[in-house]
Amino acid sequence: MSRVYNFSAGPAVLPEEVLREAADEMLDYKGTGMSVMEMSHRSKAYETIIKEAEADLRELMNIPDNYKVLFLQGGASQQFAMIPMNLMKNKVADYIVTGQWAKKAYQEACIYGKANKIASSEDKTFSYIPDCSDLPVSEDADYVYICENNTIYGTKYKTLPNTKGKPLVSDVSSCFLSEPVDVTKYGVIYGGVQKNIGPAGVVIVIIREDLITEDVLPGTPTMLKYKIHADNDSLYNTPPAYGIYICGKVFKWIKAKGGLAAMKEYNERKAKILYDYLDESRLFKGTVRKEDRSLMNVPFVTGDEELDAKFVKEATAAGFVNLKGHRTVGGMRASIYNAMPIEGVEKLVEFMKEFEKQNEK
Ligand SMILES: *Cc1c(COP(=O)(O)O)cnc(C)c1O
């Protein structure tokens, strides 16, 4: 068996310890004589799994009691519709567009009401986060929406927008559990788990209770109502049971590592190795405004498409995989989520230095 250094943006690297544990429990989960995949979601064993997952997540993120934690399906993209369907009481919402995921969420919201783009960084190919300290937030906006870490472009909000009292809705898919958060600053925090937490198929929604109401847009399907899932503790129908089980293991892994403060410290050390090199390299350069750099997704280019392709090819052969940039932006991108060990980044930088030496003009 040989594992590569997987820099995929998602689905992405998971902690090896978690994968080993899951493998050990594959055929017989704790004496039940079956895999978690084969288990009723109404069984005692499964009830313990989902309850513990929620409790561990609450502990990690210090989630207050007036927030619900929902384990749902449909990926982050389904939330693009579910959010306006459930929250657009006045049929008005403000969107800050800092990349493709925020743009898609904005476009989806336009189907259901008046979505206003109150700020954007599209003018410079989403390479920065706009100043959000005094935006023209709509008087009657039901919420202000952001994508907190822009997976494709590698930017991250370092300060949250001033929403002027409106609930903040944040897509944290690619920075989930990468650092401590103050949940009380948000109305909704949500993310697909396949970037930093678990296997694709689960989306976690952390939502303030007063935002969960029966008053949703007419025609909203039952499955897309937060209330139905909240009232049934994420067991209204069969949840993505195996995925939630893996998420639970990752929560325990993070707890054992020291929680979110320790994750942040580790992630900062990892990212610094790569960014420091990008800043001194004469071949590679980062594409993001320095103060807005993400700890999770690091895009970079050589400025020469052929050389980019050569780099990706040689890196792959050397065991550094999935470094090709998003199909819409080109270049390279190293996603260095929680589960990427620091050695992976160190070795990647060594490899990049060697490549630079051999390809200097
Ligand atoms: C990957 C990603 C999405 C889309 O997730 P799906 O689960 O594929 O729908 C949305 N937002 C962000 C920030 C992402 O990184």
Side-chain angles (χ1 to χ4, degrees):
M1 187 204 69
S2 94
R3 286 182 52 85
V4 292
Y5 289 113
N6 180 6
F7 294 92
S8 169
V13 57
L14 285 170
E16 202 169 302
E17 296 94 312
V18 166
L19 298 176
R20 284 184 193 286
E21 244 183 68
D24 284 345
E25 292 172 351
M26 183 60 78
L27 296 180
D28 178 6
Y29 176 74
K30 294 192 175 165
T32 58
M34 62 178 87
S35 163
V36 172
M37 259 183 259
E38 303 170 296
M39 194 175 274
S40 164
H41 58 294
R42 312 274 177 209
S43 65
K44 262 267 154 302
Y46 195 74
E47 192 184 311
T48 307
I49 290 171
I50 193 167
K51 286 250 153 69
E52 257 184 52
E54 177 174 342
D56 287 334
L57 181 63
R58 283 187 177 275
E59 188 183 327
L60 277 173
M61 292 179 74
N62 196 18
I63 301 173
D65 288 342
N66 64 323
Y67 284 76
K68 286 276 187 197
V69 173
L70 308 176
F71 296 98
L72 307 178
Q73 311 196 40
S77 300
Q78 182 152 284
Q79 294 305 309
F80 298 169
M82 209 162 158
I83 287 159
M85 284 176 148
N86 284 268
L87 303 188
M88 263 190 176
K89 318 287 181 200
N90 298 325
K91 291 204 161 204
V92 179
D94 289 347
Y95 279 72
I96 301 172
V97 177
T98 52
Q100 285 202 23
W101 296 118
K103 193 173 180 179
K104 283 191 170 161
Y106 161 73
Q107 286 166 341
E108 190 75 13
C110 290
I111 300 173
Y112 302 103
K114 190 170 182 303
N116 305 303
K117 198 192 289 180
I118 57 168
S120 165
S121 53
E122 196 162 10
D123 59 331
K124 290 184 183 154
T125 20
F126 299 120
S127 59
Y128 69 102
I129 299 289
D131 176 3
C132 298
S133 57
D134 185 19
L135 295 174
V137 175
S138 311
E139 199 79 9
D140 51 352
D142 292 303
Y143 58 89
V144 175
Y145 182 102
I146 62 169
C147 177
E148 202 159 324
N149 184 80
N150 295 282
T151 326
I152 296 172
Y153 301 94
T155 59
K156 160 102 196 324
Y157 285 81
K158 301 297 160 80
T159 43
L160 294 175
N162 173 4
T163 65
K164 304 188 176 170
K166 307 298 181 195
L168 177 65
V169 175
S170 179
D171 174 357
V172 299
S173 295
S174 50
C175 60
F176 225 153
L177 303 183
S178 63
E179 56 183 270
V181 282
D182 180 355
V183 175
T184 65
K185 294 204 167 117
Y186 302 79
V188 181
I189 303 177
Y190 80 93
V193 304
Q194 74 273 25
K195 309 289 160 68
N196 210 13
I197 303 180
V202 184
V203 55
I204 297 174
V205 178
I206 300 160
I207 177 168
R208 216 174 59 211
E209 271 170 358
D210 62 285
L211 298 172
I212 306 173
T213 68
E214 300 274 14
D215 176 23
V216 297
L217 297 189
T220 299
T222 306
M223 274 295 287
L224 298 190
K225 292 176 181 170
Y226 288 129
K227 188 153 186 351
I228 201 90
H229 296 290
D231 288 350
N232 289 281
D233 295 322
S234 303
L235 293 167
Y236 167 69
N237 70 327
T238 319
Y242 194 81
I244 295 169
Y245 153 79
I246 299 290
C247 293
K249 287 203 179 297
V250 172
F251 300 155
K252 287 195 193 299
W253 178 82
I254 297 174
K255 274 173 69 177
K257 295 261 167 207
L260 299 191
M263 275 297 131
K264 178 177 192 211
E265 197 262 334
Y266 192 57
N267 288 327
E268 281 174 346
R269 268 168 56 207
K270 279 190 288 181
K272 186 173 188 314
I273 295 168
L274 190 45
Y275 284 125
D276 281 355
Y277 169 61
L278 289 175
D279 288 342
E280 68 172 45
S281 170
R282 281 186 292 146
L283 182 64
F284 297 103
K285 68 176 194 353
T287 56
V288 167
R289 187 166 73 179
K290 278 188 187 174
E291 57 266 41
D292 301 323
R293 284 170 165 178
S294 165
L295 292 179
M296 298 280 100
N297 311 99
V298 183
F300 54 94
V301 294
T302 63
D304 172 342
E305 271 178 44
E306 266 173 43
L307 206 51
D308 286 352
K310 181 168 184 246
F311 173 76
V312 170
K313 193 164 167 237
E314 291 181 13
T316 306
F320 306 100
V321 309
N322 289 318
L323 281 165
K324 196 166 186 284
H326 190 268
R327 58 194 148 79
T328 58
V329 288
M332 280 74 70
R333 171 180 49 172
S335 294
I336 47 175
Y337 296 119
N338 287 351
M340 172 58 66
I342 199 159
E343 303 78 51
V345 180
E346 285 164 351
K347 286 183 182 161
L348 172 66
V349 167
E350 274 168 40
F351 179 83
M352 289 168 76
K353 283 181 177 163
E354 194 50 43
F355 185 90
E356 175 167 352
K357 232 185 264 164
Q358 293 186 356
N359 291 277
E360 251 173 341
K361 287 178 187 149

